[in-house]
């Protein structure tokens, strides 16, 4: 009996450094999870490689996959689609391997609905830790500027509520270690292992 | 505002090696949690030190503390009381420090009722992993022996259901690393940090 792998989702507000942290994780040693490459309709940038950075597809191709129910999640962002093809994720989880996604918050919400037992990690901007000074600034900012900062902070905090973990991206190597520790620890959660033991007993 | 510390509870079936693992954790580096010393009515053994290994008390003293509601948990085991005095745990958690308990399963159940947001770690015997061979043995064991092993295994698995994590004690250093990783990771759980952010926003 192969145990199903864990689905690990890294997300967070745009600009928080999800891509940088994800790259640092996959450049580090001792990872026992596979990276699920995203699909996009945006133009390939110089240096980017098909099937490494992204799967590059036309808008028509992408919309066909959506219609066929073959996207685990997708979102439109600045006029382009970004998403996760379902087939690779399913196959890899079925083989008992963990899959790591780094996606936008809209997409993470879709995954949460489809795979509630995934591990959802929210990357937090470092200055969310110093909310007060970030929002009130130097005390000379206009009330509407402060209000807008309040709104953004409130939005980020409420986004966080959908996740299992919040990791501060204060220093990339620290964020990497925290995320890798979380992934290891999640394998020891009772709800993930007890079924295996119960099944073994029943089968005796 | 000081955040309240985490209550960490290590328990498991008797004979699984809880004490050995706990000692190895506290002999290791980089722990940011305090050990809560248990109280007992059993006789001090040679080499044991009051206030280090245990708080040694008479049966009468122990029962007075129970009656006064000053035990977080206690259990009777082979004719002696073992338990955790409440005052030290409260004080330390209030100071924002994590507290580590290593206790019997009866006691862990009491703590779970009183402090449901603690981190409950179940130490698993290594042979629970090889349930089948452990229970059926070499195929030459009497049916009643096999039945008894089934009963014990079933009991252990159902005990596990009350916990957050199950860690196999196959090798002490591995169990130590797993438990320390779990404690670090638990600090990043959204339900433990989101209240702090919400409160900061409200206070602005």
């Amino acid at each position: 009996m192969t145990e199903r792998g864990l689905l690990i989702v890294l997300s967070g507000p745009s600009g928080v450094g999800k891509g940088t942290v994800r790259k640092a994780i996959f450049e580090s040693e001792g990872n026992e999870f596979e990276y699920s490459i995203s699909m996009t309709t945006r133009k390939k940038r110089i240096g980017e490689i098909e099937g490494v950075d992204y799967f590059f597809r036309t808008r028509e191709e992408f919309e066909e996959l959506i219609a066929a129910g073959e996207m685990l999640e997708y979102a439109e962002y600045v006029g382009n689609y970004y998403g996760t093809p379902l087939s690779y994720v399913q196959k890899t989880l079925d083989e008992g391997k963990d899959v790591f996604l780094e996606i936008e918050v809209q997409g993470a919400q879709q995954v949460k609905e489809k795979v509630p037992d995934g591990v959802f990690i929210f990357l937090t901007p470092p200055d969310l830790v110093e909310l007060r000074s970030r929002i009130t600034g130097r005390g000379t900012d206009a009330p509407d500027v402060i209000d807008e900062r309040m709104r953004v902070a409130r939005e980020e905090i409420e986004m966080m509520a959908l996740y299992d973990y919040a990791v501060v991206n204060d220093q990339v190597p620290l964020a990497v270690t925290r995320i890798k520790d979380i992934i290891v620890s999640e394998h020891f959660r009772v709800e993930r292992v007890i079924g295996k033991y119960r099944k073994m007993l029943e089968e005796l």
Side-chain angles (χ1 to χ4, degrees), chain A:
Chain A
M1 182 183 64
T2 310
E3 276 174 83
R4 216 172 137 74
L6 275 189
L7 183 62
I8 303 144
V9 177
L10 178 66
S11 191
S14 67
V16 73
K18 296 187 285 293
T20 309
V21 169
R22 183 256 301 165
K23 272 190 198 124
I25 289 173
F26 280 90
E27 281 161 12
S28 70
E29 299 286 306
N31 298 321
E32 301 194 359
F33 40 84
E34 311 281 321
Y35 177 54
S36 164
I37 297 155
S38 292
M39 189 172 280
T40 185
T41 60
R42 82 151 164 75
K43 289 255 164 346
K44 203 194 283 184
R45 291 177 193 149
I46 292 169
E48 284 184 337
I49 300 163
E50 159 73 16
V52 174
D53 296 288
Y54 283 100
F55 296 113
F56 295 95
R57 294 291 181 272
T58 66
R59 215 174 159 80
E60 292 65 37
E61 289 168 330
F62 203 107
E63 286 175 346
E64 268 172 37
L65 288 168
I66 296 172
E70 297 200 2
M71 298 304 288
L72 174 59
E73 58 81 27
Y74 69 95
E76 211 168 347
Y77 184 67
V78 205
N80 283 301
Y81 284 124
Y82 292 80
T84 304
L86 189 59
S87 56
Y88 173 80
V89 172
Q90 287 288 25
K91 188 175 78 60
T92 314
L93 294 177
D94 286 346
E95 287 168 359
K97 292 182 210 147
D98 299 346
V99 176
F100 187 102
L101 307 183
E102 177 244 310
I103 54 180
E104 299 300 324
V105 289
Q106 285 171 276
Q109 216 161 325
Q110 296 169 42
V111 179
K112 179 83 185 174
E113 281 157 24
K114 289 182 192 159
V115 191
D117 69 344
V119 182
F120 292 82
I121 304 170
F122 188 81
L123 200 63
T124 303
D127 57 359
L128 196 60
V129 175
E130 286 162 11
L131 256 189
R132 180 185 298 271
S133 57
R134 171 189 177 192
I135 290 170
T136 57
R138 293 173 309 271
T140 54
D141 296 308
D144 59 333
V145 172
I146 291 178
D147 283 354
E148 173 60 12
R149 289 190 194 134
M150 285 282 280
R151 194 190 60 73
V152 171
R154 190 170 292 123
E155 224 175 76
E156 283 171 0
I157 292 165
E158 294 318 316
M159 266 183 217
M160 190 194 288
L162 296 171
Y163 292 72
D164 300 305
Y165 295 92
V167 168
V168 181
N169 189 19
D170 48 357
Q171 292 178 46
V172 173
L174 289 180
V176 167
T177 306
R178 290 168 190 144
I179 291 167
K180 292 177 69 162
D181 275 359
I182 288 168
I183 295 169
V184 170
S185 298
E186 275 289 323
H187 283 91
F188 303 121
R189 287 197 76 85
V190 162
E191 69 260 34
R192 302 197 188 279
V193 298
I194 199 167
K196 178 182 69 178
Y197 290 126
R198 285 194 176 129
K199 204 162 169 200
M200 283 163 78
L201 264 190
E202 274 168 30
E203 281 169 357
L204 280 171

